[in-house]
């Protein structure tokens, strides 16, 4: 029975390192989708002026962004009402479902709060700034993946094995 407990302890503690690595991978994926969202938004703005709500619903139909949780949540929340309230509600629900840090979610919320409130040049500049910030965060996350992922896995595996040994 002690052996079983030791094995279960070692496996469960070891899985923490793999979970932390998986969270970094998911953050990287979501940041990439946000960057693509900024790029596609700028592209649609360049094509012509349209309501921000219509723009986001069009983006939700784009092949590259289809299935992205944030846009799905936005399209559910939007219904001809207040665009900014729908965007904020979607961002809040998105934040509850994805592993992104609060600063990234705040950046998304700020982008949505300002979307549709300026002239063409200002909108494009806002998209470019949002995209640059996301590029920076993607580089940081990729660096963390390169440096920390092996460390997380090794460290937590060792802790799990040592815990199992001490249990015996």
């Amino acid at each position: 029975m002690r052996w079983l407990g030791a094995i279960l302890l070692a496996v469960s503690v070891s899985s923490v390192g793999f979970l932390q690595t998986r969270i970094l991978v998911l953050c990287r994926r979501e940041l990439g989708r946000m960057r693509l969202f900024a790029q596609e938004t700028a592209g649609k703005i360049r094509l012509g002026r349209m309501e921000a709500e219509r723009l986001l619903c069009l983006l939700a139909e784009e092949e590259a962004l289809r299935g992205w949780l944030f846009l799905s949540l936005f399209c559910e929340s939007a219904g001809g009402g207040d665009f900014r309230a729908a965007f904020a509600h979607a961002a809040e629900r998105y934040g509850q479902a994805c592993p992104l840090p609060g600063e990234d979610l705040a950046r998304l919320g700020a982008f949505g709060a300002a979307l549709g409130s300026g002239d063409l040049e200002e909108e494009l500049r806002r998209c470019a700034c949002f995209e640059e910030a996301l590029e920076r965060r993607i580089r940081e996350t990729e660096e963390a993946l390169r440096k920390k992922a092996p460390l997380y896995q090794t460290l937590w595996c060792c802790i799990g094995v040592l815990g199992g040994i001490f249990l015996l």
Side-chain angles (χ1 to χ4, degrees):
M1 192 59 133
R2 290 180 90 176
W3 281 99
L4 181 61
I7 290 170
L8 286 174
L9 177 68
V11 170
S12 62
V13 170
S14 298
S15 66
V16 171
F18 293 101
L19 177 65
Q20 288 178 324
T21 300
R22 181 70 182 143
I23 288 171
L24 284 173
V25 169
L26 290 174
C27 282
R28 167 59 182 94
R29 185 188 72 193
E30 292 303 310
L31 287 167
R33 287 182 175 170
M34 285 172 65
R35 180 186 60 201
L36 183 60
F37 169 65
Q39 292 168 342
E40 292 292 325
T41 301
K44 292 281 189 235
I45 289 171
R46 276 188 200 94
L47 289 177
R49 195 81 177 137
M50 66 179 80
E51 289 180 8
E53 181 177 331
R54 183 167 164 249
L55 175 109
L56 292 188
C57 289
L58 281 173
L59 288 175
E61 296 170 7
E62 293 285 328
E63 183 68 33
L65 290 170
R66 190 174 299 136
W68 184 36
L69 179 61
F70 171 74
L71 284 178
S72 300
L73 291 170
F74 174 79
C75 290
E76 284 176 18
S77 299
D82 181 23
F83 167 78
R84 285 174 182 70
F87 197 99
H89 185 256
E92 180 182 330
R93 289 180 53 206
Y94 176 64
Q96 295 168 352
C98 79
L100 286 174
E103 70 184 53
D104 294 325
L105 295 170
R107 190 174 288 121
L108 175 64
F111 178 69
L115 198 59
S117 63
D119 63 1
L120 180 66
E121 290 301 317
E122 189 176 343
E123 293 288 333
L124 292 174
R125 194 170 32 258
R126 207 173 277 130
C127 288
C129 288
F130 184 50
E131 187 179 346
E132 287 172 19
L134 291 170
E135 284 289 339
R136 197 169 38 258
R137 285 288 298 129
I138 288 170
R139 283 193 303 274
E140 290 170 5
T141 304
E142 287 172 346
E143 184 69 23
L145 269 169
R146 271 193 304 283
K147 288 183 176 179
K148 293 180 181 177
L151 176 67
Y152 286 154
Q153 294 168 0
T154 304
L155 179 68
W156 284 102
C157 282
C158 290
I159 291 171
V161 169
L162 286 174
I165 291 170
F166 286 132
L167 190 63
L168 293 175

